[in-house]
Amino acid sequence: MVTRNRPWWQSAVVYQIYPRSFQDSNGDGVGDLQGILDRVDYLTWLGVNAVWISPFYPSPMADFGYDISDYVDIDPIFGTLADFDRLVAALHARNIRVILDFVPNHTSDRHPWFQEARRSRSDPRRDWYIWRDPSPDGGPPNNWMSLATGRNAWEFDATTGQYYYHAFLGEQPDLNWRNPDVRKAMHDALRFWLDRGVDGFRVDVLWHLAKDPQFRDDPINPNFGADDPPYRRLIPQYSADQPGILDIVSEMRRVLEEYPGDRPLIGELYLPLKRLVEYYGPNLDAVHLPFNFSLLWAAWTRAKWTAAALSRLIGEYDGALPHGAWPNWVLGNHDQPRVATRLGAAQARVAMVLLLTLRGTPTLYYADELGHESVPIPPDRMRDPFGINMPGGTQGRDPVRTPMPWDGSMNSGFSAAEPWLPLAGTAAVISVEAQKRDPRSMLSLTKSLLALRRREPALAIGDWAPLPVEGEALAYTRRWQDRCFIVVLDLESRAKTVRLGDGVAGRIDLSIHSDRVGEQLSGAVELAADEAVIISSTGSLPR
Ligand code: GLC
């Protein structure tokens, strides 16, 4: 394959698995590693190149695994290290890489390190966490706010008379990354998994690792509105993303580089574009892929999802990328509403074509390939503490973490027991089994897109350029050596003629309306409402 000299992750499609909800193998209503192993054939059939598995480490589950009490083991609810080794071997045997979720910003409050740290002010572990004296009035040391609760992020610890800091839940105390012993311990945790054959890491809330050493108050956000989530009341100027962060990241990267092969570091970074791209590092020596959530925001509401808005954001992202940096795109994850709910079923398909044909590594959230929607959760089934804690009451993130619907059997083939979160009401209709049978399904579309990407380097690693067209559509080209593809998408849900320009000719290789494959065209393409097409070009293109 022509991509031989590039790191594998540039041409890869990453599939995110939320392990609690993928497949339960032992009948406790919660997914597990053996469950993923039982579904490896599905991942192979679908055609993804890597899986990112959300945390499965020992955890009291205050934040469903993002509160870790041991970095180098598996929580019994998910299985054992032996299960893990078997899973890695099975995925590797099918040429699917394994990316783990690394959660370095905070541990669980039950982690032995924190248990020791909170014993006394002079405990050798004390400085592994962030402790401060109360302010003169006895209150918290500053105004920093928890992203999980929307309240002050400091928790008073009566035993030692100091506050500790937690950017998320009180059960998730932040580690002090300015302490070299913390860095060393966390690097060793990375090595533990690299030694077991892991191919890369997605790093949780990476921009939070460096905080202001003077602990200055965050400024009040003058644009804070009644509809904003509470944590937007402050601008996080000092509580995160501080000088020194890139040194921390490149040190982490060097740990991965101790190992052969190309092992990517992927950063979860909710930051404005200019700041985001700095995380590639001054010499491209920090993260390989700083998660780019701009598509996710563009798809937030149907009103913002327009050809003009998308071409602007794609252009801005392209223009902001440092020379030689590789792009990436995300449309969904375990924290954000499902794309099919935000855009509707028809445009979710168009969004999938976009995600899988832009230049850059795409991350696909499990069940988005089914057009799965966010599931309303009855109050007595809500589990997410972020939702339950938030003033004003929200559904939190449970609606996007519901079990994968596999087939028409009991609990849609996810579990022999009542699942930990309810299945979608539509589970039987949108299940993998039902959609596999239907060539017009979202699943069939996703599979065809992935197959085409695998066959055609132009779509995976080729150059990208906008194609100016007449008619309200988004159009661009992907080019690699002598192959060129034209992608045209209708975002307005309106049938239209899109003039591509004189001399442009080609053949439809893929369409959301599958019966058009093979159709020849010249100068223009007719799009049905909510249609997207991939055309292999046989004519000349405006340069
Ligand atoms: C990240 C995770 C989220 C978690 C939080 C705290 O944003 O994606 O699920 O709750 O970090 O670890």
Side-chain angles (χ1 to χ4, degrees), residues 63 66 106 168 202 204-205 268 334-335 386 397 401:
D63 188 16
Y66 285 93
H106 41 265
F168 294 89
R202 172 268 188 191
D204 192 63
V205 297
E268 186 202 24
H334 62 294
D335 296 326
F386 285 29
R397 300 163 299 178
R401 298 175 172 182

Side-chain angles (χ1 to χ4, degrees), residues 29-256:
V30 176
D32 44 47
L33 296 182
Q34 178 62 46
I36 303 176
L37 189 58
D38 293 343
R39 295 296 183 181
V40 162
D41 286 345
Y42 171 70
L43 299 168
T44 316
W45 173 86
L46 185 59
V48 295
N49 313 92
V51 291
W52 146 31
I53 312 175
S54 284
F56 44 62
Y57 316 101
S59 163
M61 303 289 165
D63 188 16
F64 294 105
Y66 285 93
D67 50 320
I68 296 174
S69 54
D70 182 354
Y71 282 88
V72 292
D73 206 346
I74 308 281
D75 194 280
I77 202 162
F78 294 120
T80 62
L81 280 169
D83 293 336
F84 177 78
D85 292 340
R86 272 196 297 277
L87 178 59
V88 172
L91 289 165
H92 282 171
R94 289 160 176 84
N95 213 11
I96 298 175
R97 315 279 178 142
V98 183
I99 295 172
L100 297 199
D101 211 314
F102 184 54
V103 188
N105 179 65
H106 41 265
T107 68
S108 159
D109 62 344
R110 311 277 178 80
H111 195 295
W113 298 339
F114 189 70
Q115 296 288 316
E116 291 166 28
R118 77 189 316 178
R119 278 196 307 230
S120 84
R121 291 192 185 204
S122 58
D123 193 278
R125 290 265 195 238
R126 185 71 171 180
D127 186 52
W128 281 43
Y129 292 85
I130 299 173
W131 298 93
R132 305 290 288 168
D133 286 333
S135 67
D137 67 2
N142 68 17
N143 74 349
W144 295 357
M145 198 182 266
S146 153
L147 293 166
T149 66
R151 293 189 292 271
N152 187 278
W154 294 89
E155 189 90 8
F156 187 66
D157 190 57
T159 321
T160 55
Q162 284 191 311
Y163 282 87
Y164 70 85
Y165 177 66
H166 57 90
F168 294 89
L169 298 171
E171 293 92 335
Q172 293 167 297
D174 279 43
L175 282 164
N176 174 16
W177 271 78
R178 298 198 188 269
N179 180 319
D181 293 336
V182 167
R183 283 146 100 135
K184 190 178 168 307
M186 295 305 272
H187 293 165
D188 285 345
L190 288 172
R191 290 188 187 99
F192 176 88
W193 296 106
L194 289 162
D195 286 338
R196 296 191 106 87
V198 160
D199 300 290
F201 295 92
R202 172 268 188 191
V203 188
D204 192 63
V205 297
L206 184 56
W207 80 111
H208 273 265
L209 298 191
K211 302 124 178 44
D212 177 31
Q214 296 175 51
F215 293 91
R216 281 169 282 190
D217 272 353
D218 276 334
I220 309 278
N221 178 1
N223 301 321
F224 179 69
D227 294 339
D228 282 327
Y231 60 80
R232 290 249 172 84
R233 198 165 62 72
L234 300 179
I235 300 170
Q237 188 173 324
Y238 295 114
S239 47
D241 190 31
Q242 291 297 293
I245 181 69
L246 291 181
D247 297 334
I248 295 177
V249 181
S250 13
E251 260 182 43
M252 224 180 251
R253 158 111 171 223
R254 286 201 290 275
V255 174
L256 274 72

